[in-house]
Each structure stands twice: as structure tokens, then as C-alpha cells.
Amino acid sequence: MSAPAGRAHRVLAATAAVVVGTLAVGMAVAAPSSAAAEPTLGELAAAKGRYFGSATDNPTLDNASYTAVLGSEFNQITVGNTQKWMYTEPSRGQFDYTKADQIVAFAQQHDQIVRGHTLVWHNQLPDWVNSVSAGDLPDVMRNHIANVAGHFKGKVVHWDVVNEAFEEDGTRRQSVFQQKIGDSYIAEAFKAARAADPNAKLYYNDYNIEGIGSKSDAVYNLVKSFKQQGVPIDGVGLQAHLILGQVPSTLQRNIQRFADLGVDVAITELDIRMRTPRDATKDAQQAADYRTVTKACLAVTRCVGITVWDFSDGYSWIPSVFPGEGAALIYDEDFARKPSYWAVYEALGGTTTTTTTTTGDNGSGCTATYRVTSQWNGGYQGEVAVRNTGATATARWTVKWTLAQGQTVGNLWNGVATTNGQEVTVRNANYNGAIAPGDTTTFGFLGSWIGTNPVPATITCTSA
Ligand code: G2I
């Protein structure tokens, strides 16, 4: 599937899932038929010399709504599970690349680069490895790397060669490799990976090393010593499994200090989890956090890209490991883009919005933020976020704008629309008039356009 078709498919799927309180006021909308005018995250990142990618796993490749987004929005994919040891060498000397090959093929079909993940890790390791003798384990490890990195030679741009080798206090994790081979196993793994695929960039990857602290200091010292000793290492992966409102204040400084050692840095597994359910306040904080992470990467030349650890809240590892938490990604379960998506979009240089504030009857007011969320030949999808900027809850709200270039507004959801000539008036639906102070509610619509489709010069919001 081509990128634009995938994007249009995603828009329709998302729309079908959320249409409620519909009132058609304009002409019927033609089906999306050609390239979306709006760039993807991958395209925006590429314009800045970076990638923006997602991890994925094999079961989801059967879901067409999922693959429509995966194949179009991102220019990089990480194999989320099936390059790990338990999949690639389930019994000693028996290699199986069936599942990982499927993901790599998907990426190649969609012009996406692949990060390989991961060659040496204490987790998702088949039992047999734990029984290998100390004498044999160095060869077993080197043989695993030679085979797996050899198989994917030329098909992955990065390898996470060693994953999660340190404890929080900066000491070595007592994995089977550490216990049976000792400190040298990490350098040995990197040398074997370089021999197997000389063109892949070789990464050390870990979590809780995004800010400066004991654990990131340990990784810093490892990289520094590798550089001094000539052990081949090209990059450090900051996983970035973060918590809402807790992006480390030292993130950019930390990225910079690794870059200053002469290695690249990648944000490899980004997600930002919250207590569920979501609400507008948490969504806004999450958007701010995603913006901070994206800007920190862009601020350092050697920060080469960002990968989210899958892109939809319906396919995240978080709820199964952290009960009561989730909603950590940039698309919701129905593949609608969240405020966190738009924060990344804007941080990467995309522009979509215009906002005008007016004071409402409650003496406090609301703001309306209008954006075109996608556009194709003759048609577009719009979205307006209504935010209560007052100190008391709203009971009802009204948003108005002018269709200056002959556009129409058609199917509209989460609101009740009337048009009078060029003027569009949208009032709340019977279920979303109440907005708590500081919270936001959103309505959306499909429309048509001819010639140009600029965002309105002004949009007004009144509330009572
Ligand atoms: O734990 C989050 C990530 C931390 N950094 C390294 C990553 O490789 C790791 O990814 C996760 C996968 O997203 C999960 O999908 O690694 C987990 C294992 O530690 C993966 O979970 C496993 C489940 O534990 C299995 O029950 C399941 O069969 O995923 C398997 C495949 O869905």
C-alpha cells in the first residue's frame, strides 16, 4: 500500500469509530482519493535529517487499520520482539528468522529503515542458554551474533547489540553473560557484531539512562572506555519509557554528553505512561512531555531519530506490566491521533493551527483551536479543540468561523452545526457542554474545498 493511501485509510477508520451526534450541513464529501497535503511524522523528521519510527510486533501485521498507519506515518521500524534470542535461536545452533523477516519485509515495502533489536539481553532468552558452561558461553554468544547479524546484514541500519546490562546504581546486572563471561562480554559482543555486519551502527541500549545519574554515568564510562580502547561502538539508545510529567530535566544535556564522546544517540523506545483513564489535563501534559523529548533530540545534531514503542494505545506493553497505567502513545486505540501526536508533529516543524480567544458569558471564556488534520483532493478533515480557560465549569459553548474560500463543512461529530452562508456555528452536543476549568473537548468534521483550504483567519469561542 502506498503511503498516501494508507494515510487516507487511517483517517476513514478513525472517523467511522467516533461519529456521534452527526448533523450533515454541507454537501456530501468525496472519498479521499489522492495524496494528503499534510506531511507524516516520518517526512517531517526526514526534513530535519532524522527518522521518526515505531516498534511493531508480528500479530498486529494482520490488522489492516494498524498497518495503514504503520506503513505510512513512519520512516523507521524496530522489530519489537522477534529478533530476540528466544525467537532467533530457540535451541542451540537452530536459527529461525521467519517472524523477523516478515517485519523487515514490511519495512522494505514501505521504504522504512530498520533498527535491529536485540542481540544480547538477559530477557526473552531461551532456557538452554542458562545451562551453557562458562567455557562455552563466549563462543555461543559470538556464534549467535554472527548468525543473527549475518542474516540481517545490509537490512538493518542499527543493532541494539547489548541491552540493559546495568542496574540502577550503575553496577553490572548479574545476567548469565555477566556471571559466566565477566565484564568483557559487552566488548566481545560489539566486536562480533562489527565482524558480522560492518555497516550497521552498533548501539548500547538501556532504560532509565535518559537523564544524568548513576546508571547513565555507568553507560557513559563504558562508552568512553570503548572509545579509548578501540572497541567498536557507534551509538547509545535511550529507551525513554517515561512517566507523565517526569521527563528528566537533564535529558538534552545527557544526549549532548554522549554525542561529545563521538557516538550517535537515538531515542529508541519512547512511551509516556499515565494513570488511566486519560483526560484532557493528562493529555495536555503528555503532549508537553512528547514535545520536550522531541525538541531535546532535535537540539543535538548527533541525536539521529526517535522511535515510539508501538504507536497506538491499543498495542502498548504498558497495561500488562503496570496495572492501572497506559495511554502512553501518540494514537488512541481506534487510531485517532492524540494531542501527543500533534505535539511531536509541531516539534518536528509541522504547522496546523490557528487560535482565537474570546470571553464568554461566564466571564471567563474559552479558546477554540482549529486544525486541518488531513486533506486530500477536494476533501479534508478538521478538528476543533474547545478549552475552558475560565475558573468555573462551562454548561454550554459555541464556536463560530467563516468559510472564506468556499469550503463546506459536512459530517460533524461531537457537536451540532448550522451554517448561514459562509458562517459556521457549532454548539456542543447534549453530552459535552460541560468542560471543567482547564479541560478541553474536541469536535471534528469532514468538509470539501476547491482551490485552497486555509485555516480560518479567526475563530471565536463563547461559553456559559
Ligand atoms: O519491556 C518493554 C521493553 C523494554 N526494553 C526492551 C524491549 O525489548 C522491551 O520490549 C518488551 C516488548 O514490548 C513486550 O512485548 O519486551 C517484553 C518482554 O520483556 C515483551 O513482552 C512479551 C511478553 O512478556 C510475552 O508474554 C509475550 O508473549 O511479549 C511477548 C510477545 O507479545
Side-chain angles (χ1 to χ4, degrees), residues 57 59 80-81 84 87 117-118 121 123-124 163-164 205 207 239 241 269 309 317 321:
D57 204 358
N81 272 311
K84 294 169 181 172
Y87 293 95
H117 176 82
T118 174
W121 189 29
N123 212 337
Q124 289 174 292
N163 197 39
E164 304 176 3
N205 190 52
Y207 61 91
Q239 291 185 7
H241 294 293
E269 305 185 12
W309 204 243
W317 69 292
V321 174

Side-chain angles (χ1 to χ4, degrees), residues 11-163:
V11 169
L12 290 180
T15 303
V18 296
V19 172
V20 275
T22 295
L23 177 64
V25 293
M27 54 186 273
V29 187
S33 59
S34 82
E38 156 209 341
T40 65
L41 298 183
E43 288 164 353
L44 289 168
K48 301 216 176 272
R50 313 299 213 284
Y51 60 78
F52 195 94
S54 175
T56 193
D57 204 358
N58 294 71
T60 44
L61 295 183
D62 294 334
N63 177 337
S65 303
Y66 175 95
T67 54
V69 180
L70 182 71
S72 63
E73 190 69 43
F74 307 101
N75 58 350
Q76 180 270 325
I77 280 183
T78 299
V79 183
N81 272 311
T82 49
Q83 282 175 328
K84 294 169 181 172
W85 200 313
M86 65 178 282
Y87 293 95
T88 50
E89 194 182 0
S91 38
R92 188 166 173 171
Q94 303 290 308
F95 293 91
D96 183 356
Y97 305 112
T98 318
K99 288 198 158 82
D101 281 348
Q102 287 168 4
I103 294 178
V104 172
F106 180 95
Q108 289 179 335
Q109 282 155 19
H110 295 85
D111 292 329
Q112 297 161 316
I113 57 174
V114 177
R115 296 193 81 255
H117 176 82
T118 174
L119 294 170
V120 179
W121 189 29
H122 65 279
N123 212 337
Q124 289 174 292
L125 199 59
D127 278 346
W128 67 263
V129 178
N130 293 304
S131 320
V132 174
S133 71
D136 282 359
L137 195 56
D139 279 343
V140 164
M141 182 185 78
R142 282 191 287 257
N143 186 52
H144 179 78
I145 294 169
N147 275 278
V148 178
H151 176 81
F152 292 104
K153 183 177 175 180
K155 296 181 178 171
V156 302
V157 294
H158 299 173
W159 264 115
D160 288 333
V161 177
V162 174
N163 197 39

Side-chain angles (χ1 to χ4, degrees), residues 308-322:
V308 284
W309 204 243
D310 234 310
F311 60 86
S312 155
D313 290 341
Y315 301 88
S316 169
W317 69 292
I318 298 285
S320 65
V321 174
F322 299 97

